[in-house]
Amino acid sequence: MDYVNAFWVGGAICALSQILLDRTKMLPGRIMVLLVCSGAVLGAVQVYEPFMEFAGAGASVPLLGFGNLLWKGMKKAIDQEGFLGIFKGGFTAAAVGLSAALIFGYLASLVFKPKIKK
C-alpha cells in the first residue's frame, strides 16, 4: 500500500503543477519556487511530517519535500547556533542532494554533448 500512496500523492502533486502551468500565466521557475516555499511553510506549521509519513516518497521526492528538508535543516541549525542558523541550516541539510545533482548533471553534459537552443 505504501507504493500506491506514494504513486497517487506524487502524481497529484505533479498534476497540480501541470494545471498551474497550463491554466495560469505562471512561468515554470515561479511554480518551482511556489512548491519549495509551500513545502517549507507546511513543515513550519507541522503539517508536512504526517503527510510525508502517509505518502512516503510521493511527498518527500518532489519540490515540496525539498522545501520541507530546507525548513528542517534551518530549524535544527537555529536551535543549535541561534540566528546564524537561518543562513547555514538549509545548505547543510541539502548539501548531499545538491552536490549529487551538480555532479551527475556535469557528467551527463560530458556524455550527451548539450546544445544551446536556437
Side-chain angles (χ1 to χ4, degrees):
M1 197 62 182
D2 291 337
Y3 293 120
V4 173
N5 288 338
F7 180 77
W8 77 262
V9 169
I13 292 169
C14 292
L16 290 172
S17 300
Q18 189 64 45
I19 289 169
L20 283 174
L21 274 171
D22 293 343
R23 302 286 183 204
T24 67
K25 294 184 180 187
M26 291 179 72
L27 298 174
R30 291 184 185 211
I31 293 173
M32 290 170 54
V33 169
L34 177 70
L35 289 170
V36 171
C37 291
S38 298
V41 169
L42 290 173
V45 296
Q46 307 288 322
V47 174
Y48 203 78
E49 198 65 37
F51 177 62
M52 201 165 54
E53 287 177 17
F54 170 75
S60 64
V61 172
L63 285 172
L64 286 169
F66 181 67
N68 184 50
L69 176 70
L70 292 176
W71 164 253
K72 287 196 299 189
M74 191 173 18
K75 185 176 183 312
K76 181 179 175 184
I78 290 170
D79 292 341
Q80 292 176 350
E81 300 174 26
F83 180 74
L84 291 178
I86 293 172
F87 306 105
K88 183 179 171 185
F91 292 116
T92 305
V96 174
L98 293 174
S99 298
L102 289 171
I103 290 167
F104 289 124
Y106 177 72
L107 292 175
S109 73
L110 292 176
V111 173
F112 295 107
K113 299 179 187 175
K115 298 176 186 163
I116 297 175
K117 291 184 177 183
K118 295 181 182 183

